[in-house]
Amino acid sequence: MLKKSRSIRELLNLSYFIFEGMGRRKREKAVILLVVALSTCFYAYGQEMITHPNEVTALVAIHGRLEDPVGYLRSWVKEKDPCTSWFFVHCFQNKTEGYQHVQELRLMNLSLSGALAPELGQLKHMEVLNIMWNSISGSIPKEIGSITALRLLLLSGNQISGPLPIELGYLPNLITFQLDLNDISGPIPKSFAKLPKVAHFHMNNNSISGQIPPELSALPSIQHFHLDNNNLSGYLPPELALMPSLTILQLDNNNFEGSVVPASYSNMSKLLKLSLKNCNLQGTVPDLSTIPELLYLDLSRNQLTGNIPSNKLSDNITTIILSGNMLNGSIPLNFSALPSLQRLSLNNNRLSGFVPTTIWENKTFSPDAKLRLNLQHNLLSDISGILDPPPDVNIM
């Protein structure tokens, strides 16, 4: 490749050598065209694209709201261009405009504090905003809702407080929405139902309150729905069963005021994990045998009553936790012939009768696999001396 430092005179000499076989006029014309082309390339090469001025202003304002005790952002100085000199700022070139635009702002785990600046909304081309695992406080600027290119909004593990701006529901390209492990309060805006591409909805471990909007069932791409460890109330929306791609529904440790587990949840054909622990749920355990790939079920520490459904669950299920309820009747035979089962917790209920040894009989364990059965604090017949489980089975 020709180096930038090579002079035009050297290029002329080289070009005359290359075009030696041509006629005089053709050779001169070809050399002139080559010089013009190379001069243009050298000019363009020498003019490194700088960051768009509006985004420079925004980044300076963003920096001004952050506190950087360790000095990770020492390269963020006004005299240097952000896209070419600032660490953690990733850009792309727009050759039509002649500027670079911020595409990603990656500030994860840098011991930063301070607040998020409203000027974030001026980074119109940004696709990734990652400020996870810092000590950022204050509220989420509503201006972030104007970054229509945004695909990943990652604010987990900070001290962000205040309500969820309704404007965050206006992000048509958002795929991952992670705000977990903060101090966010207030209700979930109904505008979030207008996020057509969001697949990962992680808002667990906050102080979010109120009813889960049934309108969220309109989210066509949602896969992971995490709202555990909040202050949610009201009822469990049956409409959540309409989410066509949902694989994880995790709502543990909320207060749904005596709501039942909707029977419609048995229609979640792609569900892998259903976790509704400690949600103040009442009624009976729904029949979930129609969920073909279910791996994990936790309905513990509620007020569920009645018998455990007798239909067999998915062959893939590894974990069944129904402890801490008011379930009665006998342990059904449907827990037998579950080849992947590793944990069955039925303790602290009102179950009676015998423990069916078919739960573990004729079961083949892999070298590291074990089956843990917790049956304590029920009305079951005395197990000691009657049952003789293999070493891979631990009964409590």
Side-chain angles (χ1 to χ4, degrees), residues 74-335:
R74 63 176 64 93
S75 65
W76 288 35
V77 294
K78 294 180 181 179
E79 292 76 18
K80 295 184 178 181
D81 182 74
C83 283
T84 59
S85 302
W86 290 18
F87 290 169
F88 314 113
V89 179
H90 303 265
C91 303
F92 72 95
Q93 294 183 352
N94 187 321
K95 294 182 180 180
T96 303
E97 292 182 357
Y99 288 112
Q100 294 201 63
H101 293 290
V102 176
Q103 188 171 29
E104 300 182 11
L105 198 56
R106 295 187 176 271
L107 303 175
M108 181 177 68
N109 199 19
L110 298 181
S111 302
L112 301 175
S113 56
L116 300 176
E119 286 81 2
L120 282 164
Q122 296 179 25
L123 305 178
K124 301 296 185 183
H125 301 271
M126 183 164 58
E127 297 181 10
V128 177
L129 176 58
N130 186 349
I131 312 183
M132 295 197 301
W133 309 117
N134 286 287
S135 298
I136 303 297
S137 57
S139 59
I140 301 173
K142 64 180 182 179
E143 288 79 4
I144 291 178
S146 65
I147 311 174
T148 55
L150 199 62
R151 295 184 300 107
L152 308 181
L153 178 56
L154 311 174
L155 305 179
S156 306
N158 282 283
Q159 299 168 17
I160 298 170
S161 58
L164 293 164
I166 61 173
E167 289 81 2
L168 297 184
Y170 306 150
L171 298 170
N173 293 297
L174 192 65
I175 296 172
T176 300
F177 199 175
Q178 287 191 202
L179 307 179
D180 50 297
L181 293 162
N182 280 288
D183 297 315
I184 296 168
S185 58
I188 301 170
K190 294 181 180 180
S191 64
F192 287 7
K194 301 177 181 179
L195 297 169
K197 295 183 180 180
V198 71
H200 303 280
F201 192 94
H202 294 214
M203 298 190 183
N204 50 289
N205 296 84
N206 280 286
S207 298
I208 299 171
S209 58
Q211 170 72 49
I212 297 176
E215 290 83 356
L216 296 183
S217 62
L219 293 171
S221 305
I222 194 76
Q223 297 176 23
H224 298 173
F225 193 70
H226 293 256
L227 279 168
D228 45 302
N229 299 299
N230 277 289
N231 296 324
L232 295 168
S233 57
Y235 62 93
L236 281 179
E239 295 87 349
L240 297 184
L242 300 175
M243 294 175 167
S245 303
L246 189 65
T247 59
I248 296 177
L249 178 59
Q250 187 158 319
L251 304 176
D252 305 331
N253 300 314
N254 284 288
N255 183 10
F256 293 110
E257 301 172 358
S259 177
V260 300
V261 182
S264 62
Y265 287 8
S266 63
N267 298 323
M268 296 179 174
S269 61
K270 295 186 179 180
L271 199 66
L272 302 177
K273 180 178 182 179
L274 176 61
S275 194
L276 304 174
K277 176 178 65 178
N278 191 32
C279 287
N280 195 19
L281 299 172
Q282 297 181 5
T284 59
V285 177
D287 182 0
L288 303 175
S289 61
T290 55
I291 304 177
E293 306 294 332
L294 188 64
L295 298 174
Y296 185 103
L297 173 64
D298 189 350
L299 301 178
S300 63
R301 297 174 59 192
N302 284 291
Q303 302 172 40
L304 301 176
T305 57
N307 295 342
I308 299 172
S310 59
N311 290 330
K312 181 174 173 286
L313 295 172
S314 163
D315 282 345
N316 296 328
I317 199 155
T318 64
T319 304
I320 303 171
I321 309 175
L322 301 176
S323 54
N325 283 287
M326 296 182 286
L327 301 173
N328 54 33
S330 59
I331 297 177
L333 295 176
N334 67 336
F335 294 137

Side-chain angles (χ1 to χ4, degrees), residues 317-318 335-344 356-373 388-395:
I317 199 155
T318 64
F335 294 137
S336 304
L338 294 176
S340 304
L341 189 63
Q342 298 176 22
R343 180 181 178 186
L344 176 60
T357 59
T358 51
I359 293 176
W360 60 81
E361 286 178 347
N362 301 319
K363 183 176 175 63
T364 302
F365 292 92
S366 60
D368 298 326
K370 291 184 180 297
L371 174 59
R372 292 181 296 157
L373 303 178
D388 186 20
D392 294 318
V393 178
N394 180 19
I395 300 179

